[in-house]
């Protein structure tokens, strides 16, 4: 029997806090648990969480020290018709940021251009060659989006060439800031600031919104800016806290009726229902976002930029179909690389549990998708993953991506190896790196050394954080709608996960691409349907289980019902626990135990009788030699079994 090797963390808030907050807010204990588990522990914070628009926001000009200077530089450039160039990035955050500012600055009358670095040739972010080419073409103001905070040398070169630079970024702050004219980065703000969790597109949104207000040109542009902010923020997995959560609630309502042809075309090709009154974060995270991201990973980012900036519905549909085609290629690449990576992990001595880190390197993998595969390997094995492949034109160089687990800091791990790396970057949960092939063994040893300092062996399992135990009778449309009102779900506001013990499987079958469809019942007779994505590997499941799950709504032919999306399964403690006892019969001593419904009775002569619960036949063994199958309803076995069960109090 094969089951997922998971660790469950059932979060248990203080009961007094639960009661106090439930009384103050007049909401159920279960919803209070969900709120407390997301770090919301006072009634004032809970009110803002439940109604984000009630929070009084400080004006961005008061929070970002360089925002006024940025507005002044842009206002002057627009007025003087100076050439402005946006230098973006090839991920969804970078491309939506670029599109947002292209739309805004064009609307405000700016002479605006853009440059997205080539993933293979240029790598991430602005570089000196890009700066020199832009200056050569008469650019007087460079505006970075979703990059630039670590680009000291390129920015210094821009200064030498007399080009003004505004950096808008959200990545970690380096020891030495670049000599830009203005820097907008939420990492420079207090952690308490409601703007501290902005992604790159959020910083671009703040800049464009403030510029629109300064120029008194808000009409006709604000809605489209909010929609691009929504698309980029969720696709970039930004924390859904502070202004992110507030603005996303508005943006998700707007998106189904978007006036942007590109977003309407993207919604159409991704198969999102026309009947949805508002989009959910999953619609962007699993449908719209991947189609944008795929273009930057394995295609030409210009496709996505044209999609999001055009006002021509026909061109928008053409570009959306290109995104769809590229995304299908991306999915095939991911599946192929994931299978090859799993084969390497499970059929070669990588010893990731012993090393407490998984390093997987193979040639001819696509640089653009290995980060996605790294995330899937983390989900599968629950271990920090560093995955890489050799450069296309230089097999002596490796480029890779890293993904972590909650107890592991990817950026600190890369810093621990900095003398072995040509380049690296990232944050706690994810990063990228490059190194020479000759340093690979040393890199693996150093990462393992770092991992042993921060991880225990029990950490090397996929973690499921659970909000509360509930019964099937508690699950209804009212609970689902109440939970759904707490959307959007994502980083910093995780979708609630519940668990129910000792459920019985009535039916189970494999459907689609290795998924399980399951009918479940509790002891009190309450039944419910469930789906377990990618759990076909564990078919057939045992008859009795503990399950961890999310709630979802399944709509079909005008009818809807609440179903479970299973994320975790384990044997119930009552099944998995082993009970032992001793007794005497006819002057002989016996040791008896029961585990996984199997009763074992041993005597001091080394003989063992094994009987599965409910069976008449048992197996009598002597060491490793099978002696015979016997009927335990016959004497003396019947009495021996009865005495064993009595001894075990069963």
């Amino acid at each position: 029997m094969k089951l997922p090797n998971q660790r469950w963390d059932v979060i248990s808030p203080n009961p007094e806090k639960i009661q106090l907050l439930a009384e103050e807010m007049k909401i159920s204990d279960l919803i209070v648990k969900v709120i407390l588990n997301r770090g919301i522990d006072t009634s004032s914070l809970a009110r803002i969480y439940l109604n984000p628009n009630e929070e009084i926001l400080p004006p961005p000009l008061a929070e970002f020290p360089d925002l006024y200077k940025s507005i002044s530089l842009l206002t002057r450039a627009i007025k003087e018709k100076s050439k402005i160039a946006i230098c973006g990035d090839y991920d969804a955050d970078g491309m939506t940021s670029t599109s947002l500012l292209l739309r805004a600055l064009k609307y405000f009358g700016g002479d605006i251009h853009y440059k997205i670095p080539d993933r293979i040739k240029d790598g991430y972010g602005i570089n000196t060659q890009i700066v020199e080419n832009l200056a050569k073409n008469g650019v007087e103001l460079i505006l970075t989006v979703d990059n630039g905070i670590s680009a000291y040398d390129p920015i210094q070169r821009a200064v030498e060439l007399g080009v003004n630079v505004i950096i808008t970024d959200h990545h970690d702050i380096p020891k030495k800031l670049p000599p830009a004219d203005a820097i907008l980065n939420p990492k420079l703000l207090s952690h308490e600031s409601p703007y501290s969790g902005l992604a790159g597109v959020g910083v671009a949104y703040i800049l464009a919104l403030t510029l629109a207000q300064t120029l008194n040109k808000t009409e006709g542009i604000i809605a489209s800016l909010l929609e691009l902010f929504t698309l980029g923020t969720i696709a970039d997995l930004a924390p859904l806290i502070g202004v992110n959560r507030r603005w996303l609630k508005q943006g998700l309502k707007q998106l189904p009726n978007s006036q942007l042809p590109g977003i309407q075309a993207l919604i159409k090709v991704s198969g999102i229902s026309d009947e949805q009154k508002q989009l959910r974060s999953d619609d962007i995270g699993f449908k719209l976002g991947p189609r944008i991201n795929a273009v930057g990973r394995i295609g030409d980012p210009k496709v996505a930029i044209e999609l999001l900036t055009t006002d021509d519905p026909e061109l928008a549909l053409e570009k959306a179909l290109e995104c769809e085609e590229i995304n299908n290629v991306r999915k095939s690449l991911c599946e192929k690389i994931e299978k090859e990576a799993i084969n390497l992990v499970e059929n070669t001595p990588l010893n990731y549990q012993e090393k407490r880190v998984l390093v997987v390197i193979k040639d001819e993998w696509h640089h653009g998708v290995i980060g996605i595969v790294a995330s899937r390997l983390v989900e599968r094995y629950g271990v920090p993953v560093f995955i890489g492949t050799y450069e296309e034109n230089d097999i002596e160089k490796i480029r890779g991506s890293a993904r972590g687990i909650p107890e592991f800091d990817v950026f600190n791990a890369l810093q621990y190896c900095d003398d072995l790396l040509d380049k690296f970057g990232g944050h706690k949960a994810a990063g990228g790196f490059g190194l020479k092939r000759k340093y690979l063994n040393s890199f693996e040893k150093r990462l393992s050394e770092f991992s042993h300092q921060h991880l225990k062996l029990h950490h090397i399992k996929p973690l499921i954080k659970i909000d509360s135990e509930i019964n099937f009778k508690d699950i209804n449309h009212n609970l689902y709608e109440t939970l759904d009102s707490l959307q959007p779900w994502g980083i910093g506001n995780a979708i609630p996960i519940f668990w129910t013990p000792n459920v019985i499987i009535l039916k189970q079958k494999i459907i689609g691409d290795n998924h399980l469809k399951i009918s479940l019942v509790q002891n009190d007779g309450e039944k419910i349907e469930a789906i377990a994505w990618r759990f076909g590997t564990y078919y057939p499941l045992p008859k009795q289980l503990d399950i961890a799950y999310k709630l979802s709504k399944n709509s079909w032919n005008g009818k809807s019902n609440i179903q479970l999306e299973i994320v975790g399964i384990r044997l119930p403690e009552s099944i998995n626990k082993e009970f032992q006892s001793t007794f005497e019969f006819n002057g002989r001593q016996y040791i008896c135990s029961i585990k996984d419904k199997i009763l074992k009775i041993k005597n001091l002569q080394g003989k063992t009788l094994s009987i599965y619960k409910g069976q008449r036949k048992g197996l009598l063994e002597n060491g490793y030699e099978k002696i015979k199958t016997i009927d335990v309803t016959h004497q003396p076995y019947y009495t021996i079994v009865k005495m064993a069960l009595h001894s075990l109090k069963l």
Side-chain angles (χ1 to χ4, degrees), residues 302-323:
K302 288 181 182 177
V303 174
I305 302 296
E306 288 180 29
L307 170 74
L308 298 174
T309 56
T310 186
D311 293 318
D312 179 351
E314 288 187 13
L315 179 61
L317 184 57
E318 177 189 323
K319 295 301 172 185
L321 289 170
E322 281 188 56
C323 290

Side-chain angles (χ1 to χ4, degrees), residues 276-469:
Q276 283 190 218
K277 294 180 181 178
Q278 73 172 63
L279 296 194
R280 290 179 165 80
S281 50
D282 278 1
D283 291 321
I284 293 177
F286 295 106
K287 294 178 181 177
L288 305 187
R291 286 163 170 80
I292 296 292
N293 256 322
V295 174
R297 290 181 180 280
I298 63 172
D300 185 347
K302 288 181 182 177
V303 174
I305 302 296
E306 288 180 29
L307 170 74
L308 298 174
T309 56
T310 186
D311 293 318
D312 179 351
E314 288 187 13
L315 179 61
L317 184 57
E318 177 189 323
K319 295 301 172 185
L321 289 170
E322 281 188 56
C323 290
E324 180 73 8
E325 187 178 336
I326 293 167
N327 189 50
N328 287 333
V329 174
R330 188 273 307 168
K331 286 194 284 188
S332 296
L333 281 172
C334 283
E335 287 171 12
K336 176 178 178 291
I337 294 171
E338 183 182 4
K339 285 178 182 176
E340 290 179 3
I342 289 170
N343 184 58
L344 283 172
V345 174
E346 298 184 357
N347 295 298
T348 57
L350 293 178
N351 299 326
Y352 69 88
Q353 286 187 318
E354 181 184 320
K355 294 177 180 177
R356 298 183 194 172
V357 65
L358 176 57
V359 180
V360 191
I361 310 291
K362 191 177 182 298
D363 59 353
E364 296 183 356
W365 283 350
H366 197 291
H367 297 107
V369 299
I370 56 175
I372 299 173
V373 176
S375 296
R376 292 182 182 176
L377 294 178
V378 171
E379 288 176 13
R380 185 181 181 94
Y381 299 111
V383 63
V385 173
F386 291 73
I387 185 171
T389 188
Y390 301 106
E391 295 282 10
E392 286 183 14
N393 301 319
D394 189 350
I395 61 169
E396 295 306 313
K397 289 185 178 180
I398 294 169
R399 190 194 305 186
S401 292
R403 299 292 184 272
I405 62 175
E407 299 83 4
F408 185 92
D409 191 311
V410 168
F411 186 73
N412 287 347
L414 291 170
Q415 276 190 320
Y416 193 75
C417 307
D418 63 351
D419 58 313
L420 301 172
L421 301 174
D422 294 332
K423 57 183 178 180
F424 68 91
H427 46 83
K428 183 179 187 294
F433 60 92
L435 76 157
K436 293 180 178 61
R437 184 175 190 160
K438 63 182 179 181
Y439 294 133
L440 178 57
N441 288 339
S442 300
F443 180 55
E444 289 188 59
K445 288 177 183 176
R446 190 81 63 84
L447 285 174
S448 180
E449 188 179 291
F450 178 87
S451 297
H452 275 79
Q453 293 173 15
H454 296 87
L455 299 178
K456 304 296 184 186
L457 193 56
H458 69 267
H459 291 139
I460 311 301
K461 289 180 183 178
L463 173 65
I464 299 175
K465 288 192 171 184
I466 298 171
D467 285 283
S468 180
E469 176 184 343

Side-chain angles (χ1 to χ4, degrees), residues 623-643:
Y624 293 107
E625 180 187 351
K626 293 182 181 180
I627 299 179
K628 58 182 176 180
T629 300
I630 57 157
D631 189 333
V632 296
T633 62
H634 295 166
Q635 293 292 3
Y637 305 109
Y638 179 80
T639 302
I640 292 173
V641 169
K642 290 275 286 183
M643 293 188 71

Side-chain angles (χ1 to χ4, degrees), residues 107-124:
Y107 186 81
F108 302 146
D111 181 9
I112 186 69
H113 309 266
Y114 76 96
K115 168 67 179 176
I116 304 286
D118 184 278
R119 178 184 283 271
I120 304 299
K121 294 177 184 175
D122 299 315
Y124 166 76

